[in-house]
Amino acid sequence: MIGKKIYSTTFRMLSDASLILKPDPPSFTIVDVNDACLHLVNSSRENLIDKDFFEIFPIDPYENTTGWNDAFNEVLLKKSAVRSLPKKYKSQPAETEAWNIKYLEANNTPVFNEEGVVEYIVCTLEDKTEAAMYSDLMDKTLHAANIGTWQIKQPGQTLTCSQGLLDIFEADAAFQPGINEWLNFFENEKNRERIKLALKKLEENGGTFCDTLPIISAKGNKKWLLVTGKADVSEDASVHIYGIMQDVTESKSLAETDKLERSILALNEARELPVSDILSEYLKGIESLYPGLYCSIHKIQDRRLLRWSAPSLPQSYLDAINYIPIGENTGSCGTAAYFKKPVYISDIANAPEWEDYAYLALALGFKACWSYPVIDSGDNVIAVLGMYYKQVRQPGDKERTIIERAVKLLQLILENALKSEQLTKANKMMNRVQELARFGSWQWNVETNELQWSDVLYDIYGVDAKLYFPSTENFLAALLEEDRQKVINTLQHIQQSGEGAVFEERIKRPNGEIRYLKSWARLIDNSDDATTKMIGACLDITEIKVAEMDLQNLYAQQELHLIQITESEKKYSDLFHLSPQPIWVCDPDTNKIIDVNAAAIDLYGYTHSEFTSLATSAIVVEAPLSQEEGSIALPPHAGLFSKDVILHRKKNGEVIYVVVLCKRIELSGKISQVMIIQDITEKLNYVQAIELQNRKLQEIAWMQSHLVRAPLARIMALADLIQNAPAGDIETNDLLGAINQSAIELDNVLRPIIDKAVQIKFI
């Protein structure tokens, strides 16, 4: 027994309007109704329960008497679910409402007791009012969509075709074909047999079928139709076969075009073939889809046509037009490139654009040529697509659509190829600059502990990139023990504070050589993922450090020399005049120069007498630069000398950077000031140039590692979607538009990268 299940809350809350009936013909008494049914018939549960079904849903005397009653009886006879056709129903009006007309379709399902006897019938009602009211609108919609309907009724094999189907057949409106005439529209006997077999299976087994077949219309035009059919058993037990036919001629061509475009995008994505080969495959595919069409693509270089791909055009013709300048009347392609707009020449022999070149095309039988420029996101013509015919003809809407699609795909392929070429050149330039500057870059994924190095960094560390695995452990092991903890603390501070840092470190190569590095590190924005990443760069400053140590040794030697001078004026005189280092002596009160050595005369260009007539203020052109402001760090220096980086002017006006070491000593019983000059102009300029390059390279490395990735990933994802999505599920034009927008964004990212790379000058 079903018992409480019938009256459960679940039944009454069902979204479909449902009634439970007793199997007591002819009344079929209502046992229960759910809330959806009460809303549908605009009544209460008390007004429906225990009422005869046909008291609530009376049979319209003007309709066929068969319907719901027969369906209920059929449920009892077959003991299976039976669906009845829609019937008109007038719901009870409220006091302020008019009669509400509805068309209801019933699905009747038996419920059995434990003995297998039908105890109840569940009648589920479906509102088909809108479908019935707008059937005429549906017919018009089907006609607009190139869809026609047909039906075959048994017995008698009576065929009925809609006006939409007759239009597809291009037959007269009064023409109503029989079964055989209908079948004869299909192109050949093989296709007619396919339809006959499908109809036979429907008649015997029911079900549905779907096929795409060619027909020859009444006017002799070939079309492709999508044919679908279904078989139902009517109330009189006859088989009713019906279906639709849709003209898919254009969509089939577009589907083949979609397939071709996906294959070309896959080739382009694989990057295994040169661009010229990919273009050739694409043009050959277009030519195979549209017989009689001959295609070419010319690259625009130096405002001239440069042969790129033309798989079906004679080589002699391509040689004759190769590298001709673009202009107002330089054939279809040259003119289209010049004006940046399509040029459709239907008759080459009589077109002014072809006046100087018509003989070349006409000799090969070409009579029409349509050309379309391929323009990149910067409004530059990068190529031109040419389409030749051996008939005088203008393009129709279909051809224009195909040309525009082809141009969009070519724009995507060619612009990306050019951007990739520019990016490759920029990478090569940056790698070259890094090699020359001994500047390496790295990226560290803090979450996964993955570390990536540039090629130059392997060279700085003196390891083979094929054998050495960069890791944080190997990196720390390469550091000198005295520097290791300092570097660890610096990296931890960057992670915790988010602030970048500049620091120095020393590493030991596998061969035991010590190298000095100046390093930059910072966190990067991780808006695209949840991981923490750090990027950095290392500059090998070993040579600079060695120079600093040499300079420090020189300071020590000079200090020793000056100590010896204080002990002996004779020794001072010898050291003073023979020293290779520029030195002068001045009065500490007036700063007037008292004496200079030969090295100072050689450096500054003044004679000895000119020097002794000057004060030091006449040579100094600018206030001293502190060590913090100067680009070269001076070693700590206590005791004997004071020093600073100062700007001096030579006699010829040239300004130089010098390090001045000053010491007051007693000479001939008088306190004098000895000044030793170290010319560091060349070294300082060298260091400043390197640091400027480093900053630019750091910016390039950051932009390349982060900004380029997002648009490039989207392009790859969209191309993959175009390649793998089922035909018809996605609008390819929309995806190509999205890829085009991503290509524009990629171009906007690449331009500043290239500009910065170009600005770097080799030292």
Side-chain angles (χ1 to χ4, degrees):
M1 297 295 292
I2 296 178
K4 294 182 180 180
K5 293 183 180 179
I6 297 177
Y7 300 99
S8 67
T9 302
T10 303
F11 167 74
R12 293 194 175 183
M13 294 181 65
L14 290 175
S15 59
D16 295 329
S18 302
L19 307 91
I20 298 177
L21 311 177
K22 288 183 180 180
D24 56 347
S27 299
F28 294 101
T29 305
I30 299 173
V31 176
D32 200 358
V33 296
N34 68 357
D35 295 342
C37 182
L38 295 178
H39 177 73
L40 177 68
V41 301
N42 195 20
S43 184
S44 65
R45 190 171 278 106
E46 291 75 13
N47 291 336
L48 298 178
I49 293 178
D50 294 331
K51 297 289 181 65
D52 290 354
F53 178 84
F54 297 105
E55 181 181 346
I56 305 302
F57 300 95
I59 297 175
D60 191 327
Y62 298 102
E63 292 184 349
N64 191 324
T65 56
T66 62
W68 287 353
N69 183 59
D70 293 339
F72 295 155
N73 288 318
E74 190 174 354
V75 170
L76 299 178
L77 178 64
K78 294 184 176 181
K79 293 186 177 183
S80 62
V82 175
R83 179 177 291 275
S84 60
L85 296 176
K87 295 293 182 182
K88 183 186 295 185
Y89 167 72
K90 294 182 179 181
S91 64
Q92 286 295 113
E95 294 181 359
T96 59
E97 295 179 352
W99 283 93
N100 189 9
I101 305 298
K102 295 181 181 294
Y103 288 84
L104 303 178
E105 182 177 273
N107 187 32
N108 309 295
T109 305
V111 178
F112 303 97
N113 60 17
E114 295 177 355
E115 288 76 25
V117 177
V118 177
E119 189 170 5
Y120 298 100
I121 297 175
V122 178
C123 176
T124 301
L125 302 176
E126 188 173 353
D127 191 346
K128 297 292 185 178
T129 306
E130 185 174 352
M133 292 178 63
Y134 293 99
S135 60
D136 181 61
L137 177 61
M138 181 62 70
D139 289 340
K140 294 179 180 178
T141 302
L142 292 176
H143 187 274
N146 290 325
I147 297 175
T149 62
W150 57 272
Q151 57 179 333
I152 300 174
K153 290 187 177 181
Q154 304 283 7
Q157 292 283 307
T158 303
L159 172 69
T160 303
C161 296
S162 70
Q163 183 58 48
L165 186 56
L166 295 178
D167 291 341
I168 292 174
F169 288 152
E170 296 183 331
D172 294 335
F175 177 70
Q176 278 294 334
I179 292 291
N180 291 332
E181 294 172 307
W182 181 66
L183 291 173
N184 286 337
F185 279 112
F186 292 93
E187 185 177 29
N188 52 47
E189 188 61 33
K190 180 179 179 181
N191 292 323
R192 289 190 281 272
E193 288 299 322
R194 285 173 64 173
I195 291 294
K196 289 179 182 178
L197 180 60
L199 293 175
K200 183 177 180 181
K201 288 182 178 180
L202 288 178
E203 184 177 353
E204 294 175 352
N205 306 318
T208 62
F209 86 93
C210 181
D211 205 347
T212 302
L213 298 169
I215 68 162
I216 303 299
S217 72
K219 295 183 178 180
N221 296 318
K222 182 176 179 178
K223 297 184 179 183
W224 285 89
L225 300 187
L226 174 65
V227 184
T228 61
K230 182 181 180 183
D232 284 338
V233 177
S234 302
E235 296 175 351
D236 58 359
S238 62
V239 178
H240 177 212
I241 303 175
Y242 57 94
I244 65 171
M245 291 185 179
Q246 182 177 13
D247 185 348
V248 294
T249 306
E250 182 175 351
S251 62
K252 185 173 179 63
S253 298
L254 293 176
E256 292 298 322
T257 303
D258 287 341
K259 182 178 178 181
L260 171 63
E261 290 176 349
R262 286 196 297 271
S263 67
I264 295 302
L265 286 171
L267 286 176
N268 186 58
E269 182 67 25
R271 300 185 183 278
E272 296 176 354
L273 294 176
V275 174
S276 57
D277 290 351
I278 296 175
L279 296 178
S280 180
E281 289 297 318
Y282 184 41
L283 297 187
K284 287 190 289 187
I286 293 177
E287 291 173 348
S288 67
L289 292 176
Y290 304 96
L293 176 64
Y294 300 82
C295 298
S296 70
I297 295 178
H298 282 80
K299 185 178 183 179
I300 304 303
Q301 182 173 304
D302 300 328
R303 297 186 62 79
R304 292 176 177 269
L305 296 178
L306 185 64
R307 181 175 63 248
W308 211 340
S309 180
S312 301
L313 293 180
Q315 189 64 38
S316 59
Y317 177 73
L318 296 175
D319 291 340
I321 65 172
N322 190 43
Y323 213 60
I324 65 173
I326 63 174
E328 294 187 19
N329 295 303
T330 51
S332 300
C333 292
T335 306
Y338 180 76
F339 287 109
K340 293 185 179 181
K341 64 181 182 180
V343 173
Y344 300 109
I345 302 301
S346 60
D347 186 0
I348 291 176
N350 298 302
E353 293 86 351
W354 279 86
E355 184 176 354
D356 296 332
Y357 303 97
Y359 70 96
L360 295 171
L362 296 175
L364 299 171
F366 296 124
K367 297 181 179 180
C369 181
W370 313 331
S371 297
Y372 209 112
V374 181
I375 302 175
D376 66 12
S377 55
D379 197 35
N380 301 307
V381 180
I382 56 177
V384 61
L385 171 66
M387 294 185 168
Y388 294 82
Y389 280 96
K390 292 188 175 182
Q391 305 88 28
V392 173
R393 60 179 294 180
Q394 276 281 6
D397 292 340
K398 178 180 177 182
E399 285 88 354
R400 290 177 187 268
T401 300
I402 295 301
I403 294 173
E404 290 173 359
R405 286 186 57 161
V407 168
K408 288 181 179 179
L409 182 62
L410 289 173
Q411 179 186 6
L412 175 67
I413 293 174
L414 299 181
E415 189 166 12
N416 283 342
L418 293 176
K419 294 293 186 297
S420 178
E421 182 180 346
Q422 293 173 352
L423 183 59
T424 300
K425 290 181 179 179
N427 286 337
K428 288 181 179 179
M429 181 181 296
M430 187 175 69
N431 290 337
R432 180 59 177 162
V433 171
Q434 287 185 359
E435 291 174 4
L436 293 174
R438 303 286 294 162
F439 183 85
S441 60
W442 52 267
Q443 179 173 294
W444 177 31
N445 188 319
V446 180
E447 305 294 337
T448 64
N449 204 27
E450 296 177 359
L451 192 61
Q452 297 177 349
W453 281 7
S454 68
D455 293 340
V456 176
L457 201 55
Y458 286 99
D459 186 49
I460 290 174
Y461 274 73
V463 294
D464 188 340
K466 296 180 180 179
L467 303 176
Y468 183 83
F469 177 72
S471 66
T472 53
E473 292 78 10
N474 290 339
F475 159 68
L476 293 174
L479 292 170
L480 292 191
E481 187 174 353
E482 306 92 282
D483 296 349
R484 191 172 298 142
Q485 190 58 47
K486 179 188 70 174
V487 174
I488 292 174
N489 293 340
T490 301
L491 295 178
Q492 288 176 346
H493 176 73
I494 294 172
Q495 289 179 253
Q496 294 168 1
S497 67
E499 300 174 353
V502 181
F503 54 94
E504 292 187 5
E505 56 190 324
R506 292 173 295 174
I507 63 169
K508 187 175 183 179
R509 286 180 170 179
N511 62 2
E513 181 184 2
I514 304 299
R515 304 298 293 181
Y516 293 79
L517 307 182
K518 187 172 184 179
S519 297
W520 294 261
R522 59 165 290 181
L523 294 176
I524 61 174
D525 182 15
N526 295 309
S527 57
D528 292 340
D529 55 52
T531 60
T532 301
K533 293 183 180 179
M534 188 182 297
I535 62 171
C538 298
L539 177 65
D540 188 341
I541 58 172
T542 304
E543 287 72 16
I544 297 175
K545 282 294 183 181
V546 170
E548 289 180 2
M549 289 186 288
D550 290 343
L551 184 59
Q552 187 174 9
N553 291 333
L554 181 59
Y555 294 154
Q557 293 174 12
Q558 295 294 340
E559 287 179 354
L560 180 60
H561 290 164
L562 291 177
I563 291 174
Q564 294 172 349
I565 289 173
T566 59
E567 296 175 352
S568 171
E569 290 187 4
K570 184 178 183 306
K571 289 182 179 180
Y572 156 75
S573 179
D574 292 340
L575 290 172
F576 179 81
H577 291 288
L578 298 176
S579 173
Q581 200 74 21
I583 306 173
W584 66 58
V585 181
C586 66
D587 188 324
D589 297 324
T590 64
N591 287 327
K592 184 177 180 181
I593 298 174
I594 301 171
D595 198 5
V596 297
N597 67 354
I601 292 172
D602 290 339
L603 175 62
Y604 288 88
Y606 293 104
T607 65
H608 187 277
S609 60
E610 289 173 336
F611 249 125
T612 55
S613 66
L614 299 174
T616 57
S617 59
I619 297 176
V620 176
V621 296
E622 192 172 308
L625 297 174
S626 67
Q627 291 188 21
E628 289 74 19
E629 294 172 334
S631 295
I632 183 167
L634 298 176
H637 208 77
L640 186 58
F641 293 106
S642 63
K643 62 184 183 303
D644 258 314
V645 177
I646 301 176
L647 289 172
H648 279 186
R649 181 179 286 113
K650 296 182 181 181
K651 181 179 179 181
N652 62 7
E654 179 184 354
V655 176
I656 61 174
Y657 286 88
V658 298
V659 174
V660 180
L661 295 91
C662 301
K663 178 65 179 180
R664 291 190 177 190
I665 62 173
E666 185 177 351
L667 291 175
S668 303
K670 184 179 179 181
I671 298 300
S672 300
Q673 186 163 269
V674 178
M675 305 181 75
I676 302 175
I677 312 301
Q678 173 70 32
D679 184 2
I680 63 168
T681 304
E682 182 176 351
K683 292 181 180 179
L684 188 59
N685 289 339
Y686 176 80
V687 171
Q688 289 175 334
I690 287 180
E691 290 191 341
L692 178 60
Q693 288 181 358
N694 291 342
R695 288 194 295 272
K696 291 182 179 178
L697 289 170
Q698 185 180 11
E699 293 173 358
I700 292 174
W702 182 86
M703 293 172 70
Q704 182 182 7
S705 64
H706 177 66
L707 297 181
V708 172
R709 181 179 57 183
L712 190 57
R714 287 197 295 273
I715 290 175
M716 295 172 65
L718 289 167
D720 181 70
L721 185 60
I722 293 176
Q723 177 182 0
N724 297 315
D729 284 2
I730 299 177
E731 287 294 335
T732 305
N733 286 342
D734 292 343
L735 291 178
L736 289 175
I739 294 178
N740 178 58
Q741 186 61 37
S742 295
I744 293 173
E745 183 180 344
L746 181 59
D747 178 53
N748 292 334
V749 172
L750 287 175
R751 289 180 186 274
I753 294 178
I754 295 171
D755 291 342
K756 288 182 180 295
V758 170
Q759 292 171 10
I760 297 175
K761 298 180 180 179
F762 300 144
I763 298 173

